[in-house]
Amino acid sequence: MDVYRRNLMKGALMGSTLLTLGISPITTAAAPSGKPGRLRLLLGSGAADAEFAAGARTAFAANARRAATGHDATSATDARGAQSGLEVMKLNDGLLNEYEKVAYLLETFRDTRWIAVMDDGSAAVFTELVRNAGGGLVSLGSHASSGEALVRGSAARVSGLRHVWAAASPSHAAGGILAARLVQSQRSFSIVENFFSTQGAEERGTVNKFPPGFLAWRLEGAASGHDPAYLCCAGVSPTDGCQLLGWDTTPAWIPVNQEPGLETAASGKRRSAFENDEPHASGWVEAVGYAVVAAALGAEAGHESCSARAHVYQSGGVKRGRPDKAGRFTSFVIDI
């Protein structure tokens, strides 16, 4: 399937979350003109909560002070807010039993950027609560882990870790941050990000920035009225990468980064921006928690204008750390 058509379909489906119940999609947040409001974390997925929160706290500690002072925030109050810690709220009985509490929280705490993690069933209800509260969608992610499978006619394997995001713009992307952390553990994975708008991408420059270790290609979309799409691969060819993602393999992808090991002053800064010199998360759920919060605080270094971006990594070695846990959940970043 054509990459742009496929990504449009994915984004539309994720934006509405549960079409069968008639839930209208929430609006997308505008491109950031300043720092986000106070960050709060809402845990409602059950099994993924503890690890997601651990990664979120690590990201907050590494990025909150920079976010508070790097986006037109210069007052002492802003700096103290960054040091006060990430406020975490947990739904002990699940969203279906505590939806009135969540509705109250969303109505009460305004000027807030909410990070939420929900199981797939609760995600639809949460979407409706956010829409009723007038919230704007910054990003919506679907995250799943399962066994790997071979692709017919190819040496590539369908990744056991799969992440699909719909985000307001490339400025809100978390995929590069997540890729830089997951690749260290030698786990095969795929990450696809679809962007509703490229507004604001030019405000911070249009320099191409990719996680260390990845080769990158660009697919021009001017002929069909789209911004470019980017494909970043490690351990797999772009053709196999497209196959793994279900993308059409016939278009001509243009190489844009073919030196994954180059360590110049610029790439050194880039590596720090993705990794923040912090120990890597020991589990994939924790890595997702880190990436989502880091991106919500403005740590994502890639701001080039594009309609979609994918990272595909195929491991050729032994996995490090704990085995992957099977499971799935949905992440939200919401401005209210």
Side-chain angles (χ1 to χ4, degrees), residues 124-336:
V125 179
F126 184 72
T127 299
E128 177 70 355
L129 293 174
V130 171
R131 187 179 68 84
N132 290 340
L137 175 68
V138 177
S139 71
L140 170 63
S142 176
H143 314 280
S145 173
S146 62
E148 295 183 355
L150 291 174
V151 177
R152 181 175 298 179
S154 170
R157 304 180 305 278
V158 175
S159 303
L161 293 178
R162 300 176 303 283
H163 309 271
V164 179
W165 263 290
S169 79
S171 298
H172 301 296
I177 301 173
L178 179 59
R181 299 184 76 79
L182 289 179
V183 74
Q184 300 297 319
S185 61
Q186 298 295 305
R187 293 170 168 88
S188 297
F189 61 84
S190 66
I191 302 170
V192 177
E193 297 171 288
N194 307 298
F195 305 115
F196 292 114
S197 170
T198 58
Q199 181 182 1
E202 291 80 6
E203 294 177 4
R204 301 184 185 182
T206 56
V207 177
N208 294 323
K209 298 179 180 180
F210 307 100
F214 282 82
L215 304 180
W217 289 263
R218 183 179 69 249
L219 179 63
E220 296 293 353
S224 54
H226 296 280
D227 286 288
Y230 286 89
L231 174 64
C232 306
C233 295
V236 64
S237 70
T239 299
D240 285 344
C242 286
Q243 280 190 310
L244 290 170
L245 298 173
W247 289 3
D248 187 357
T249 60
T250 57
W253 290 82
I254 303 171
V256 292
N257 176 48
Q258 302 296 301
E259 299 182 53
L262 184 61
E263 288 291 340
T264 62
S267 64
K269 291 179 181 178
R270 178 167 75 234
R271 188 181 185 93
S272 179
F274 278 115
E275 301 179 15
N276 285 288
D277 300 322
E278 294 289 334
H280 282 269
S282 56
W284 72 272
V285 176
E286 190 172 339
V288 173
Y290 181 98
V292 170
V293 171
L297 289 169
E300 164 67 332
H303 298 287
E304 72 280 358
S305 176
C306 61
S307 61
R309 184 164 53 209
H311 295 80
V312 181
Y313 174 73
Q314 290 281 287
S315 172
V318 180
K319 296 178 182 179
R320 302 174 187 173
R322 299 193 301 268
D324 294 332
K325 293 181 179 179
R328 58 186 303 126
F329 61 89
T330 302
S331 66
F332 293 83
V333 182
I334 302 293
D335 279 349
I336 295 182

Side-chain angles (χ1 to χ4, degrees), residues 48-75:
D49 287 351
E51 289 190 51
F52 189 96
R57 290 189 178 96
T58 301
F60 187 86
N63 295 283
R65 184 174 181 82
R66 184 201 62 78
T69 58
H71 296 280
D72 301 324
T74 57
S75 70

Side-chain angles (χ1 to χ4, degrees), residues 75-159:
S75 70
T77 301
D78 291 324
R80 285 196 298 270
Q83 296 298 315
S84 61
L86 177 64
E87 187 172 352
V88 180
M89 303 175 184
K90 180 174 174 57
L91 304 178
N92 295 316
D93 296 324
L95 180 61
L96 297 181
N97 294 317
E98 298 186 66
Y99 67 91
E100 292 181 340
K101 172 184 176 181
V102 174
Y104 172 80
L105 292 173
L106 296 178
E107 289 289 347
T108 302
F109 294 108
R110 295 287 170 167
D111 190 27
T112 296
R113 175 159 289 184
W114 285 96
I115 311 294
V117 53
M118 299 284 163
D119 61 74
D120 285 356
S122 298
V125 179
F126 184 72
T127 299
E128 177 70 355
L129 293 174
V130 171
R131 187 179 68 84
N132 290 340
L137 175 68
V138 177
S139 71
L140 170 63
S142 176
H143 314 280
S145 173
S146 62
E148 295 183 355
L150 291 174
V151 177
R152 181 175 298 179
S154 170
R157 304 180 305 278
V158 175
S159 303

